[in-house]
Amino acid sequence: MLNYKKYSDYDLLTLFNTNDERVLIEIYDRYWDKMLAVAFNRLGNLEEAEECVQDVLCKLWKLRSTFSLQNEKLSSYLARAVRNQTFNIIYQNKQKRQKLAGYSPEEDVIDSISPERKLIIQELQQQIDNAIKNLPPQCQLVFVMNKNEGLTTKEIADKLNLSENTVKSHLKKAKKDLGNNTEFLTIIVFFSIYLR
């Protein structure tokens, strides 16, 4: 029986596509604690952090037949994968909280307008949400925290454990991507002119 504990990360990954689950178990044993620390540091909830790490390892296992690393350590890849997964979890949690609270950004405006305009606003809001959802996950999260929650770049940086420069670059990218989306711009113009 092979003793995977003696294998380097590189050697383990070369065996990954053999479908030997002991390879994944060895990766789990080596990196679980470090991955969990990264997830817990960002999420602040042990149960969510454990689920986050499990999700990353499950995705890694699903990719085993095509997975390869180029000029990157396995530990760095796993830490980055966990960070990305935490961004998804934070964003999903925010969406759930808003849904449970019955949050609707247009509800104050809708109360004072006709049913036809209500329908138009709902459709336009859906298109805006879709445009925002096309942003990369971390960029999307930063944009939503800034625009919907009104957080400053410093507050976002503190909450997500990022540098302020990283937050600023995500906001810049979001504005550029949305600015290049002509459908998104048309919707915004329509909102500002037609629905005053």
Side-chain angles (χ1 to χ4, degrees):
M1 181 182 268
L2 296 172
N3 183 0
Y4 288 129
K5 294 200 179 308
K6 295 180 179 177
Y7 281 57
S8 69
D9 287 350
Y10 176 81
D11 293 334
L12 276 179
L13 292 175
T14 58
L15 294 169
F16 216 26
N17 61 4
T18 63
N19 294 332
D20 187 345
E21 291 178 8
R22 290 172 300 168
V23 174
L24 182 65
I25 292 168
E26 180 57 30
I27 292 172
Y28 171 97
D29 289 342
R30 283 184 197 184
Y31 293 109
W32 173 265
D33 290 344
K34 291 174 186 172
M35 293 168 73
L36 186 63
V38 171
F40 182 74
N41 184 36
R42 289 173 179 271
L43 297 171
N45 178 302
L46 185 59
E47 189 177 323
E48 281 187 343
E50 287 175 342
E51 284 180 25
C52 173
V53 175
Q54 287 169 3
D55 288 345
V56 168
L57 290 171
C58 284
K59 286 177 186 173
L60 184 66
W61 181 247
K62 286 177 185 173
L63 294 170
R64 66 190 177 278
S65 59
T66 57
F67 185 79
S68 66
L69 287 176
Q70 296 176 347
N71 303 322
E72 185 178 18
K73 291 181 179 177
L74 178 59
S75 57
S76 302
Y77 170 84
L78 292 172
R80 185 165 44 83
V82 168
R83 279 195 303 273
N84 289 341
Q85 184 64 16
T86 62
F87 292 128
N88 292 335
I89 291 169
I90 290 168
Y91 181 73
Q92 287 164 5
N93 286 346
K94 179 182 174 298
Q95 297 280 74
K96 285 177 192 170
R97 283 194 304 273
Q98 287 181 346
K99 197 170 184 180
L100 286 172
Y103 172 78
S104 176
E106 72 276 2
E107 76 186 2
D108 292 339
V109 178
I110 288 180
D111 289 341
S112 63
I113 56 179
S114 69
E116 294 81 16
R117 283 193 177 184
K118 285 182 188 180
L119 184 60
I120 291 169
I121 289 172
Q122 287 168 347
E123 289 175 3
L124 292 175
Q125 186 63 53
Q126 185 62 50
Q127 290 178 18
I128 289 171
D129 291 343
N130 289 341
I132 293 169
K133 282 178 186 171
N134 285 331
L135 295 169
Q138 188 174 0
C139 185
Q140 180 185 131
L141 179 62
V142 168
F143 181 79
V144 167
M145 289 174 85
N146 178 253
K147 296 302 172 195
N148 289 9
E149 296 178 25
L151 298 180
T152 65
T153 53
K154 185 176 185 333
E155 289 169 333
I156 296 169
D158 290 343
K159 279 196 170 197
L160 299 181
N161 199 20
L162 299 170
S163 73
E164 280 191 69
N165 285 338
T166 302
V167 172
K168 286 176 185 174
S169 89
H170 280 306
L171 286 173
K172 188 175 178 183
K173 176 174 175 40
K175 288 173 185 172
K176 183 181 174 193
D177 288 1
L178 293 174
N180 289 336
N181 185 330
T182 52
E183 184 177 301
F184 181 79
L185 287 176
T186 305
I187 293 164
I188 297 302
V189 170
F190 182 85
F191 257 120
S192 63
I193 295 171
Y194 182 69
L195 298 175
R196 273 182 195 186

